[in-house]
Amino acid sequence: QGSQKRSNSTPETPRPKRAPSSHSPYRLFSPGSFSPSVTPSQKYSSRGGRGDIVASFGTIQSPAWHGHSGCAVKLFGCPKENLTKPYKFMFQKALDVREALAGRMEELGEVLRRHHGLDGFTSAGLPAQEPVAVLGQIGCDGNGKLNAKSVLLLGDREHSAGAQVPLDLSELPEYSLFPGQVVALEGTNSTGKRMVVSKLYEV
């Protein structure tokens, strides 16, 4: 018997694709075999019933709300901290954002210190053979997702001068952290390059 020559397939003359066999399992379990047949959707411009209620729950339909007159708004707190004029959101200067974040970290650190009765915080970048308490923010050492091996502590400005130190969380029975979280930790940092965390203070 003579050999059959296979047809060449080129972008100009593509080879016709073979239809799936009726005995193929993909045909039996395709999405079309399980999905019910639906009518094709109408065009967006020709749709009808715009604004109509198609489903409701309960007996109250479109309740009416009325306000009382004579209400007045009063600002509390320091006048410098209240917004008295419009401003462009996310147009703040980088230095102002840094000052606001540093101030917030100091406030949360003071809350953690009082809540757990800590004597004070030490620098996260200095070697410590004995367990010490440090304050800072959770960070990541790269652009990837935060995991147990990529956790950094970005120390506060007052005690740690913004020093960064990797964290070893292997001694903690459980923890839940996210980037930017303000935490107080207790641990040892024998070499000054990695802190082994033994306790995580939370509110």
Side-chain angles (χ1 to χ4, degrees), residues 87-97:
Y87 75 103
K88 292 183 178 181
F89 180 63
M90 296 184 68
F91 276 77
Q92 300 92 340
K93 297 180 180 179
L95 294 178
D96 296 339
V97 174

Side-chain angles (χ1 to χ4, degrees), residues 107-192:
E107 294 177 4
L108 294 176
E110 184 64 20
V111 172
L112 290 171
R113 189 189 66 80
R114 292 181 180 179
H115 182 76
H116 295 282
L118 302 175
D119 295 334
F121 300 109
T122 60
S123 175
L126 296 178
Q129 305 295 335
E130 298 294 331
V132 293
V134 296
L135 175 69
Q137 274 186 316
I138 296 298
C140 185
D141 64 355
N143 296 326
K145 294 183 179 181
L146 187 67
N147 54 54
K149 296 182 179 180
S150 66
V151 182
L152 288 177
L153 181 71
L154 311 177
D156 64 331
R157 186 173 57 179
E158 180 180 357
H159 304 93
S160 303
Q164 300 181 9
V165 58
L167 297 180
D168 184 356
L169 307 175
S170 58
E171 295 187 2
L172 292 179
E174 58 180 3
Y175 55 88
S176 178
L177 304 172
F178 60 89
Q181 179 181 359
V182 178
V183 295
L185 305 173
E186 183 179 285
T188 57
N189 189 3
S190 58
T191 62

